[in-house]
Structure formats: structure tokens, C-alpha cells
Amino acid sequence: MTEWFADNFISILNGLAIGSLLFILAVGLSLVFGMMDVLNLGHGALYLIGAYVGFQFTGGISSWGGFLTALAVAAAFGLVAGLILSVATEPLVGRGHLDQALLTLGVALVVAEVISIIFGDDVQNVVAPPGLNESIQVFGNTYPAYRLALIGVGAVLAIVVWLVIEKSSLGALIRASVSDREMVSSVGVDNRKVKAGVFAFGSMLAALAGVLGGPVYGARTGLDETVLLLALVVIVIGGLGSVRGALIGSLVIGQVESLGRANLPEFASFMLFGALAVVLIVRPRGLFGSKVGAP
Amino acid sequence: MSAEAETPTVDEPIVPSPGSTGPSGSPGRRLPLGRLIAALLLVVLAAVPLFVAQFPTSMLARMLIFALLAVSLDLLVGITGLPSLGHAAYFGVGAYTAGLVAKHWTAAAPIPLVAAVVVAAFAAAATGWLAVRSHGVFFLMLTLAIGELIQQLSESWSDVTGGDNGLYGIPAVEVAGEPLVLVGYVYWYVLIFAVLGFAVIWAVSRSPFGAALRGIRDNEARMRSLGYSPFRYKLAGFVIAGAVAGLAGGLLAVQQQLVTPADLGFTTSALALLAVAVGGAGSLWGPAIGAALVVLIRDVYGPDLDGHGTLVLGIVFIVAVYSLRHGIAGLSTTQFRRGPGRQTEKADG
Amino acid sequence: MTQPVFSRRNALGLFGLAGLAATAGCGSSVGGGSSAGSSASGGGGAIKVGLVIPQDGVYTPLGVDMKNGWDLFLERHDGMLGGYEVETVIGDEGEGPDTGVPAIQGLIQRDNVDVLVGIVNSASALGAAEAVAAAKKVLVISNAGANAVTGDARNPYIWRASFNNAQAAFAMGEYLASQQPEGGVFLMAPDYAAGQETFVAFKASYEGGGGTIAGEALTPFGTTQDFQPFLSAIPGSGAGATFVFYSGGEAVSFVQQYAGFGLKDTVPLYGSGFLTEGSVLEAQGEAAVGIQTALHYSTEIDNPANTEFVEAYQEAYDVLPTCFAVQTWDAALVLDLALADAADLSGDAVSEALGGVGEISDSPRGAWTFDGQSPKHVEYLREVQEGDGGLINVVVEELGEYGQ
């Protein structure tokens, strides 16, 4: 057992790093869906915006100034984009998921094309800031320092988001909206504002994930679709609408993509969606599913 | 094409009573304008190869194939209320089956197509048995997973499928021993079976069985209390939709003489679903036009737009959501319908 | 016949189908009469070429390079190929055969081109083979490297001015067999046709030369952003070298992660040349320095044709050329030679003339010949080094000539 652990230590560590990134990416998608029943297929495009903002401000040069600027700009972009999406989906309330999918995927296609027109289709590189832009020794294994930092950032964000949603009064309002929208609006709270707030917050996290993921995944055409599918798998496996579900889903998929692939490389191509299918067949509403998501 | 143009004028009440004789009990109550348009459209479509050059003819054949895929998906999405994001899997299973049969056994019509329908139906039965137990977004995701797994299989099983290079060198379909080489003849072959496929879906949706599917969509609990087994009905609907998608796939193998993993991937599934949404779920003919529109933008004009076909597609989706409340099919309610009190049924699943 | 067959506005309406049918009215598709080229009847003077390149999706950068190579050749030859005035019609190949095959069909059936050039994706090339043969048009491929294109699935109309997937891997296998890295070689490639072909070719020459494979991994194609799970197997395998085939986005991620996980300094990295070709090299940055690859081209090849080509290319586009630009330049070059000899513009005549071009002596990649319908050319061993204006692939040695 200890030998197995030693052999797979790096893979487990790496699964945590990927899981952290996935959590930052997916938690917004999960909350927006859980709260307002909006299936945002434009979520991957928000990540892509972040990735290209990261590229724009670091420009292949390792610097804290550029990296932090990129984070700030991406956050601003994300907030605005989230507000716009919230307003744009407002007329679709009560019209079913299909129309939302049509709208948000349309937006995603447009955003991705516009980015490709602005930046071209070359693969772009995002460099980690100084100090993290190198590899360090972890128990005799060489490991990129940036990914270790990513685990830390993910953990901090997970705690912050959990505290906000589970412990603050604002969070209580959001959770109440998830479970009973009519009740919340009947006590005089404007549902649309709650929705806009959550949408903006979730979108900001997705754009931040784009910058944070830059040094790992880079910035390139088609990344939006890959990332969207990953995020969808994460939130569905975990169970929609809860911070805990997104966290568990992220950690599970992080390990599936890392530990799973390392140990069963011949099934690597089938692993992600195989895991999703198995979970949904055994637990039709995800591991920690609530009533959210069913018609 | 008779199926698509006719439906809106003869919509039936959506909740059936178990003893209902079904929609066929009410013909001739209205002027058959829909039938007239359908017949006219069929004549125009049949005459196309006589007057139209090769390229537009082969593009029309592609539109018919993709339209058949969208209509079969509409049986799930619009009629049964099951939004599938993996429907292209059965399209692809049919395409590979037809291609393999034609390549290794016989290209004599309609054997490859029959094989495509049968194998796709089996695939749909095996996977649908798992999928239709879930609901809403979870159904969406489970079908996505199944679709992605089947696509992965087509990429990995390269001894049989040719992997990423695709199944190439599929011989031309043979009718009475003669291979159909000219684009126009291939088009007619596609047209005949596409119309047959439309007719099947149309007949199913108008039958008492189709009414029961609508009932399950609108109120599953009520249908269960009336003695229906929603699981069996949904599974049957899933298998029929899969079989017709397989037919469309078989036609793709004929028209394209090539099948690749991209044909059954996420993009194809998503575009089919969006074609249904753009066209207006539940109307059957709307999704067919939606599918034609998608092919038109992506394959006909896309290559001339310096690669920005997807940009146009995205804009069309956005505009459609806001301007067409019930998709393209919604337009006809104001144009053709004068009858009192008849409204299209709920168009979004 | 040359103007667009139908207008956008009509067909995009509600009755898209009917509109399309109504406005498309010219000719018929059951008469079979339109296979004669549009300009062939004029008795020479002009040729219409369909250039099929990706303008959308992940292969777009290759499409840009290919178009540059094509345009540059024409510009420097007064817009003529073999005495014919060239009209170029561009078709968008997109990412795969689902868009590539209709683009090729469109160029043949709608635009009535005389010759086709281009194609990045092998699946598109294989998928279009039937249509190309049925229309009896010559297609000169300027990238797609699947062996089957000019092998199992060959037909007389499809020629290739680029490479086949096996060549670089086979050359590198021989080279590494001669180097005998201690512990053998670890193989990695994406799990799709080109990756699998690379594996087969590398093993054939490397194991044939007495080498041992320390381990191998086929990574999921298109969905692998993180190579760590596969890289983690390398140190334990005891391999003394790694050989990989990656291109585009995967090449960037792979090279950076290979360095990031500390493997670059302990297990030297070798590859097929696409690993460090063109814009990916810039994105890889310092992580790429020292990587050795085999390819049929490098900007650093020392011959007069290449010197002139690189200079002209840099002047025109302000970047260094890539093998993709050279391949399309060479497609124009062989057409230039063949068309001068061809009796007319029919596919049979052009194909016959291509078979008779002999040695193509003034290509930037060095002299090459057709072996069957695919090039036989020199593979160069290249090493990534810091140059004046950025990273370059320095030619270390010639690995010999390789054919179909």
C-alpha cells in the first residue's frame, strides 16, 4: 500500500491541482444552474476569455505585475459578462432548457470566433509568474511549482466560496433561492438581482480559472468546448446546485483524469465519460444530488 | 416531406384518453392546405436533379439527411420531452453499419440501409434502457456520455472503423446491379428513403402511441396513474428515434461514401439539438427546416465566409431565440392557421 | 458557370429549401455533362485551381502558411503555372472531413476547378478520394500524410508534394538505433491514425536496428491537456530517450510539461519534426531548446533555392517559413513543371505529366522525386537552438533519403 502510494504520489498530487482548477471553473456553473435553472453553455467561452486575457497581459514573459493585472482584468470581464448573460437569459425564464442552450451556445460560438479573429488561431502560451515558473523537488519527484500553488489557490477559494454560500446571510438567501424561488420572492427579495449576482460571481470565477489555468493548459482555439464538457461532467457527477457537489465532483474528476489515466492508460480515452455514465446509472441525480435539475 | 408540412394543421389534443382511436379519426375537417403544401414541396424536391447543378443537388441531399436526423431527434425532444445530447451516436452507428455492409458484403439497395436501421435500433435499445430512467438535465448528460463513449469506440476500434481516417472507399449503392454514380440519382435515392423516414416519425407522432408519449412529456405521474408504463413508452420512443437516425446515417454513408468519428460526435449531436430548437420542438417539420438551415450555413456558405461560418451560426441561434418564440414552426401558426381556438402545443420540451 | 449559383438572401429565408432549389437553376445533376473543366475548352491560357485549406478550427495556422507558400510561388512566377494563367479559388477545409469533403465537392462541382491543391487532414484526403477520382481531377496534396492516401487507397489522380507519416519516424528510429540510448526508448503519440502510423514506422526501424522499446503510451487525441499521467511512467521505465509525435496545441503542452516535470534534463526528447515546427516553437519557448527532431525541411537547410525562398518569404510575410509553406510551394512547383508538359488540362493528362516530372531539383527542401505518387526526399536531423531572431531548427545532419 505504501509502495503504491509512493509510485502514484505525483499523480495524486496532480489530480489535486487539476481538481482545484476544475472547482474554480465549475462552481459558478453549478450555482447558476441550481439557483436559476439556467444551463449556461457559454461557460467555456468565459474560461477562454480569461485564458486570452492571461496571454495578453503576460505575453510570454514571467511577471507578477502582468499576471495580477490579468487576474484583475479577467475578473472584471467575467463580472460584466455574467451580468450580460443574466439579463440576456431573463426573457427566457419559463421557456425550457432548450432555448437557454440555444442562446448560450450561440453566444459561446460568437465569443470564440471573435477571439479567434482578434488573436488568430496560433497556440498561445501563458507563463507562470516568477518563483512559480520552475520545478521543485517534492519527496524526490520533480514537480512544477505553479501546480502546487494552484492547489493552494483552489483550497482557499473553496473555503471562501463555502463560507459565503453556507455561512453568510447572503449565502442563506442564495440557498433559499435554490430550494424555493417563490418563497424568496414572496418575502420581497428581487429574484433577478440574486440571479444577476450569482451569475456575475460564477462567471468571474470561470474567467479567473482561465487565467489561472493558462500556465497549465495555454490559450488556444477549441479550449472552450473541452473545458465546458469537463465542467458539465464535474457538476453533474457531484450533483447540481451545491458547493459541496462541485467540490466533490472536481476532486473525483481530477483524480480520474490523473490517477486513472496513469494506471489504466489503455482506457484513458473512455475514462471521463465512462465515469459520468457509471455515476448517472448508479445515482441518477449525481453523487450528492438534490431535486434540482429534473423537470 | 409530407410529414413535416402537414402536422401543424392537424394537431390533436395533447392528453389522450386511453380508449382514444387516435388522430386518424378526424380527417377532412379542415381544408388540407398543409397537405397541398407538402405535395407541392415533394414535387419540387423530386424535380430538383432535373434542373439543378451537381453541387447544390448534393448539398440538398445532405440537408435531407441532416433533416431526417433532426426530425428523429424531435420525436425524443419535442414529442417525448427527452432532450438528447447524444443522438448522433445512432446516426453514426447506422452510417458505419451501412458503410461496412456495403464495403465488405453487398452494396445492393436497400440491404445496407436495412442493416443500418436494425443495428442502430439495437444500439438505441441497449443504451436507451439505461438512459430513459433519468430525467431532464441528467438525461441530457447521460446521453452525452453515451454518445461520447460510442464516438470514442469508433476512433479506437480502428481495425473495423478505420479510426480517425474514417471508413473510406465505401462503394456506390447499387440498384438492380447498377451502381448509382450520378449525383442526381444518389439524391433521388436519398429523397425516397428520407421521405419514408419522415413518414414513419410522422405516423408515430400521430398515433395513439405518440399521444401517449406527449402525455408522458406533459405529466408523467398522471400517465402512470392511468395505467401507462412511462419507462416502456419512453424506451420504445427512444428505439424508434434511434432506428430512424440510423436510417439517416445509412443515407449519409451512401451520399458521402465516407464515415468518420466526427459524424457521431458532440458537435453533430449539438447541432442536431439546436436544429430542433431553432425549428421549433414538437412540430417535426420545423426541425427539418432548422437542420437545412444549419447545413446551409455551415457547409454551403461557411466555406465562402473565410472560415467564419460558425460566427454566422452563433448569430442565427441568438436571433432565433429572441425573434422566434416557438422556432421556425411558430411562424406558421400566424401565417396558415385561421381556425378558432387551435394553438400549437407547447413547443419547448 | 463561374458566378455563385445561388444568392444568400433568398436561401436564408424561411423557405430555405425551396429558395435554394428555385435560385439554383442552372444545369442538371443527372445528365453527367459538366465534368469537362470550365476553361479547358478554351484551349489553354487559363487554369482554375482550387486551394483547399483550413480557415477555421485548430489547423488554421497551417492553412495560413499553406496559402502564403502558394501565393508566394505565384507572385514570383507572374501568376503562371506551366504557361497557364492561374485563377485560385479557396475552399475552407475546416477541422475534419465533415467540412473538408463538402468543400472539395464544392470546388469540383460548383466551381469547376481544373486542379485541386492543399488538404491538411488525412481523413479529408481519404474521404475526398472517390469524388476526385470520379471527377477525374488531379489533387496535389500539400500536407495530409496518411500512408494510405498514396498507398492502399491510391488512385491515379491523387499526388502528394508533402510527406508521409512514416518517413520522419522511420528515419529517427534508424538514427536512435545507431545511438543506442541506454535503457531503450519510450514512445508517446496521440491515439489517432497519424500517431499510430508513427509508432509502427518507428518500431520497424528502431527494433529492426536492434533497439529496445522501454515503454509506450498513446494519449487521447484532442482531449489531453495534461500529459502528467503518461509522463509519470517514463522515469520508472528506465528509458534513455523519449520519441514522440505531437503537433499543434498538443506539441506546446507536451514540450512544456516534459520540461516542467524535470524530464528534459534526464531523458533527452526526440520527435517527428512537427513537434517543433512553426508557431508552436515560439509558444514552447525555452522548454524546446535542445529537442532533436527529424523532418524533410528546416529553414536552416543550406542550398540556394532555400536561401532565396526564406528571404523572399520573410520579406513578404515577416515570419520564417514552415514546412507547410514549403510543401504548398512545392505543390505549385510540380504543377508548374507538369503543366508545361501536359497535353491539356484533363486529369489524365496532368496526372501523366506529373508522373514524368523526374527530379524536382530546385525545391527549398533540396532535390526530391516522386516515389509512386508521394515524395522521396532527405530527412534532416534538426536541433532546436537559440537563433538571432528567436528559436530555430538547426540542421545537425542528413539522415538519408526516404520514400513511400
Side-chain angles (χ1 to χ4, degrees):
Chain A
M1 187 65 198
T2 45
E3 195 181 330
W4 180 89
F5 185 77
D7 284 349
N8 289 285
F9 173 69
I10 283 292
S11 292
I12 294 168
L13 196 63
N14 201 54
L16 284 175
I18 302 300
S20 290
L21 188 61
L22 287 177
F23 173 75
I24 303 167
L25 168 70
V27 69
L29 186 63
S30 184
L31 286 178
V32 168
F33 186 84
M35 264 199 66
M36 287 300 163
D37 233 22
V38 172
L39 184 58
N40 179 17
L41 297 184
H43 207 69
L46 294 166
Y47 177 96
L48 198 66
I49 291 176
Y52 275 93
V53 166
F55 162 68
Q56 178 70 36
F57 286 94
T58 60
I61 299 155
S62 176
S63 88
W64 276 104
F67 197 75
L68 294 176
T69 313
L71 284 173
V73 172
F77 263 109
L79 282 172
V80 173
L83 288 175
I84 293 173
L85 277 171
S86 177
V87 172
T89 50
E90 199 55 47
L92 305 183
V93 168
R95 275 175 61 180
H97 291 143
L98 215 48
D99 284 341
Q100 291 168 2
L102 193 62
L103 174 70
T104 52
L105 198 65
V107 170
L109 291 178
V110 170
V111 168
E113 275 293 323
V114 168
I115 287 177
S116 118
I117 290 169
I118 296 173
F119 289 94
D121 292 293
D122 283 344
V123 177
Q124 304 295 0
N125 183 26
V126 180
V127 185
L132 301 178
N133 188 23
E134 53 200 57
S135 300
I136 54 173
Q137 293 295 315
V138 186
F139 299 115
N141 299 289
T142 308
Y143 196 77
Y146 183 78
R147 293 187 183 208
L148 280 182
L150 205 52
I151 298 176
V153 172
V156 169
L157 273 176
I159 292 168
V160 169
V161 173
W162 184 77
L163 284 176
V164 169
I165 302 290
E166 302 289 332
K167 299 292 170 196
S168 74
S169 55
L170 181 66
L173 187 65
I174 292 172
R175 276 178 294 130
S177 296
V178 172
S179 51
D180 193 341
R181 207 168 309 160
E182 278 70 34
M183 189 272 284
V184 171
S185 57
S186 71
V187 297
V189 177
D190 188 346
N191 246 316
R192 282 174 304 180
K193 282 189 185 149
V194 182
K195 175 188 165 195
V198 173
F199 225 130
F201 180 67
S203 302
M204 180 190 79
L205 286 179
L208 285 177
V211 180
L212 291 171
V216 182
Y217 290 169
R220 64 166 177 271
T221 317
L223 197 55
D224 50 338
E225 187 183 304
T226 313
V227 161
L228 173 68
L229 287 179
L230 271 174
L232 284 172
V233 172
V234 162
I235 66 170
V236 169
I237 280 193
L240 291 158
S242 73
V243 178
R244 187 178 62 164
L247 185 60
I248 302 285
S250 305
L251 293 176
V252 168
I253 292 302
Q255 292 303 336
V256 165
E257 289 280 270
S258 183
L259 194 58
R261 284 184 164 196
N263 283 284
L264 294 167
E266 58 269 42
F267 296 112
S269 304
F270 294 93
M271 213 162 272
L272 179 66
F273 287 100
L276 174 62
V278 168
V279 167
L280 283 184
I281 287 166
V282 178
R283 305 262 316 190
R285 288 172 194 281
L287 292 175
F288 294 94
S290 56
K291 72 176 180 68
V292 180
Chain B
M1 301 295 282
S2 61
E4 30 177 77
E6 202 159 2
T7 320
T9 59
V10 287
D11 267 342
E12 283 304 303
I14 48 178
V15 180
S17 56
S20 159
T21 53
S24 53
S26 60
R29 277 187 24 217
R30 200 191 330 267
L31 224 142
L33 181 60
R35 272 168 214 213
L36 212 66
I37 293 174
L40 204 67
L41 188 58
L42 200 56
V43 169
V44 169
L45 281 174
V48 156
L50 301 174
F51 305 105
V52 176
Q54 284 187 26
F55 181 70
T57 305
S58 60
M59 281 301 124
L60 265 178
R62 277 182 80 83
M63 287 180 197
L64 285 172
I65 291 165
F66 204 61
L68 184 59
L69 173 66
V71 170
S72 72
L73 179 58
D74 195 23
L75 181 66
L76 283 183
V77 179
I79 310 292
T80 321
L82 292 171
S84 167
L85 204 42
H87 201 54
Y90 313 107
F91 181 63
V93 167
Y96 274 109
T97 304
L100 288 168
V101 167
K103 207 173 164 182
H104 299 300
W105 183 28
T106 173
I111 296 172
L113 284 183
V114 172
V117 170
V118 171
V119 176
F122 270 107
T127 49
W129 187 75
L130 295 168
V132 299
R133 292 160 197 268
S134 55
H135 296 264
V137 157
F138 297 103
F139 178 81
L140 194 79
M141 292 303 294
L142 189 50
T143 48
L144 169 69
I146 291 168
E148 290 290 304
L149 289 172
I150 292 180
Q151 190 212 6
Q152 195 55 53
L153 193 65
S154 76
E155 281 180 19
S156 301
W157 198 11
S158 48
D159 292 344
V160 172
T161 62
D164 273 86
N165 280 344
L167 187 67
Y168 54 85
I170 297 172
V173 63
E174 290 171 15
V175 175
E178 285 293 309
L180 294 188
V181 178
L182 290 177
V183 173
Y185 292 139
V186 173
Y187 169 86
W188 274 325
Y189 184 76
V190 169
L191 179 65
I192 289 168
F193 284 97
V195 168
L196 195 69
F198 292 137
V200 167
I201 296 286
W202 177 70
V204 166
S205 79
R206 296 229 313 165
S207 68
F209 172 75
L213 290 181
R214 286 188 174 84
I216 290 167
R217 176 195 67 191
D218 293 334
N219 193 339
E220 189 167 331
R222 174 154 178 249
M223 292 299 286
R224 191 177 285 120
S225 70
L226 286 172
Y228 286 82
S229 160
F231 172 76
R232 280 191 208 162
Y233 274 82
K234 286 198 278 191
L235 181 58
F238 197 88
V239 171
I240 294 169
V244 175
L247 175 67
L251 292 172
L252 182 78
V254 167
Q255 196 266 336
Q256 201 170 258
Q257 290 179 269
L258 164 79
V259 187
T260 67
D263 292 325
L264 55 154
F266 170 72
T267 309
T268 309
S269 285
L271 284 180
L273 190 59
L274 295 176
V276 171
V278 167
S283 70
L284 298 186
W285 65 274
I289 292 183
L293 191 66
V294 168
V295 174
L296 200 65
I297 294 169
R298 197 187 66 161
D299 294 344
V300 181
Y301 295 118
D304 299 334
L305 295 172
D306 288 342
H308 300 310
T310 34
L311 182 64
V312 177
L313 208 54
I315 293 170
V316 167
F317 289 161
I318 295 170
V319 171
V321 167
Y322 291 118
S323 58
L324 305 174
R325 166 106 204 189
H326 294 295
I328 295 169
L331 287 176
S332 77
T333 52
T334 50
Q335 284 184 2
F336 303 138
R337 296 263 214 110
R338 304 275 144 92
R342 290 265 174 179
Q343 291 297 314
T344 9
E345 62 200 63
K346 197 178 107 194
D348 40 357
Chain C
M1 290 295 281
T2 50
Q3 64 237 56
V5 189
F6 34 76
S7 90
R8 184 167 310 157
R9 194 173 305 133
N10 280 337
L12 273 177
L14 167 61
F15 295 105
L17 277 168
L20 177 62
T23 51
C26 77
S28 128
S29 49
V30 284
S34 59
S35 63
S38 59
S39 47
S41 56
I47 182 172
K48 201 167 177 183
V49 180
L51 183 62
V52 194
I53 51 172
Q55 295 183 298
D56 187 29
V58 294
Y59 298 120
T60 313
L62 275 62
V64 172
D65 292 354
M66 290 161 81
K67 183 166 185 306
N68 287 350
W70 179 257
D71 289 347
L72 188 64
F73 187 93
L74 289 180
E75 190 192 306
R76 293 175 68 82
H77 293 79
D78 305 320
M80 309 278 276
L81 286 178
Y84 292 89
E85 184 99 28
V86 177
E87 182 196 345
T88 306
V89 189
I90 293 179
D92 177 17
E93 184 189 336
E95 269 183 37
D98 51 330
T99 47
V101 173
I104 294 162
Q105 282 174 342
L107 288 170
I108 294 174
Q109 297 171 353
R110 177 179 55 179
D111 298 312
N112 256 309
V113 298
D114 299 295
V115 173
L116 290 152
V117 173
I119 305 191
V120 165
N121 187 319
S122 291
S124 297
L126 290 164
E130 296 276 340
V132 170
K136 301 195 174 182
K137 304 283 185 190
V138 162
L139 162 62
V140 182
I141 290 174
S142 66
N143 190 59
N147 297 349
V149 173
T150 56
D152 291 346
R154 70 167 286 280
N155 75 53
Y157 302 98
I158 297 189
W159 295 74
R160 180 152 60 192
S162 47
F163 59 90
N164 78 56
N165 288 335
Q167 287 170 325
F170 197 88
M172 195 50 113
E174 278 187 354
Y175 174 73
L176 283 174
S178 73
Q179 299 297 95
Q180 292 292 344
E182 202 170 327
V185 172
F186 196 95
L187 292 185
M188 279 180 74
D191 190 4
Y192 78 121
Q196 290 149 4
E197 283 183 0
T198 301
F199 263 33
V200 171
F202 182 87
K203 283 182 187 168
S205 65
Y206 177 70
E207 290 184 320
T212 52
I213 303 288
E216 59 181 74
L218 282 168
T219 57
F221 177 56
T223 60
T224 304
Q225 285 81 39
D226 185 19
F227 291 93
Q228 179 278 332
F230 308 100
L231 291 176
S232 65
I234 295 178
S237 74
T242 304
F243 172 79
V244 301
F245 170 93
Y246 286 104
S247 62
E250 292 191 322
V252 177
S253 308
F254 181 84
V255 166
Q256 288 184 337
Q257 291 173 19
Y258 197 80
F261 285 96
L263 289 163
K264 189 186 160 196
D265 301 325
T266 51
V267 188
L269 180 58
Y270 297 84
S272 283
F274 309 104
L275 185 67
T276 58
E277 187 70 10
S279 63
V280 298
L281 185 56
E282 201 180 316
Q284 287 160 348
E286 211 170 297
V289 173
I291 295 174
Q292 298 205 331
T293 60
L295 197 67
H296 51 276
Y297 181 70
S298 158
T299 52
E300 308 307 306
I301 295 172
D302 187 16
N303 70 41
N306 191 40
T307 311
E308 196 187 330
F309 171 75
V310 172
E311 205 168 286
Y313 194 94
Q314 276 190 298
E315 194 174 313
Y317 307 112
D318 211 25
V319 288
L320 280 172
T322 61
C323 68
F324 313 110
V326 171
Q327 288 156 193
T328 317
W329 168 282
D330 276 2
L333 180 58
V334 294
L335 278 173
D336 189 32
L337 295 170
L339 289 172
D341 290 341
D344 54 53
L345 290 180
S346 72
D348 292 302
V350 176
S351 186
E352 195 190 326
L354 278 168
V357 294
E359 185 179 80
I360 296 110
S361 53
D362 48 356
S363 161
R365 77 178 86 167
W368 61 276
T369 56
F370 279 117
D371 177 19
Q373 285 156 251
S374 194
K376 179 177 185 180
H377 52 210
V378 172
E379 289 290 328
Y380 300 90
L381 179 67
R382 325 176 310 164
E383 182 177 314
V384 177
Q385 292 180 7
E386 205 65 74
D388 297 336
L391 297 174
I392 50 170
N393 286 294
V394 173
V395 176
V396 179
E397 62 178 273
E398 294 187 6
L399 295 173
E401 281 203 340
Y402 296 86
Q404 166 75 15

